[in-house]
Amino acid sequence: MNLEKVVFGFFVLLAATLNFGFFIGDIDRPELHNPYELFAAVVVNLIATVLKFGDRTQIGAVHLATSLVASLQLVAAALLYGYAEYVSTAGMTASWTASVVSLSGGALMANVVSVVLLVIETVSFHRG
């Protein structure tokens, strides 16, 4: 068993599940979307991105691209959340929540692609 692959798979799956946990729920109800879960999703996605930098294969490049997309969208979601909560006089309205959750949904799509790639890579692995 390759410990590096285990750690890599762990962070890819954790990134996807944390993002899913934040994303799920009515798009316009802020009380259903925990900011700490968004923060955790951002941190784990960034860790997963760093772990993908060493792979020099074609599938590794696609893994990195999906991770960069997810991280970019989650950071944007976190910035919007922070602006709505701490700068905007309106606070976290249904409109702000919908924007944050939509960005998280885009990141979730990138996370799903990354998980699918991981599964394909694992299934196609041949012992030499």
Side-chain angles (χ1 to χ4, degrees), residues 10-102:
F10 171 79
F11 278 101
V12 167
L13 289 170
L14 185 60
T17 57
L18 284 170
N19 193 2
F20 180 77
F22 176 79
F23 176 78
I24 200 75
D26 292 344
I27 195 168
D28 60 344
R29 294 186 49 202
E31 68 273 9
L32 298 179
H33 305 282
N34 189 323
Y36 296 111
E37 198 161 20
L38 176 60
F39 176 74
V42 169
V43 169
V44 172
N45 265 285
L46 291 173
I47 292 169
T49 301
V50 169
L51 290 174
K52 294 174 184 179
F53 271 110
D55 195 349
R56 301 232 183 258
T57 63
Q58 180 62 34
I59 200 160
V62 179
H63 265 300
L64 181 59
T66 60
S67 191
L68 288 170
V69 167
S71 294
L72 178 68
Q73 289 191 300
L74 285 173
V75 166
L79 289 173
L80 275 181
Y81 196 105
Y83 181 83
E85 196 67 35
Y86 301 109
V87 177
S88 172
T89 56
M92 197 63 172
T93 63
S95 176
W96 281 112
T97 303
S99 295
V100 170
V101 172
S102 292

Side-chain angles (χ1 to χ4, degrees), residues 101-116:
V101 172
S102 292
L103 284 167
S104 171
L108 179 60
M109 190 66 189
N111 286 143
V112 167
V113 170
S114 193
V115 169
V116 168

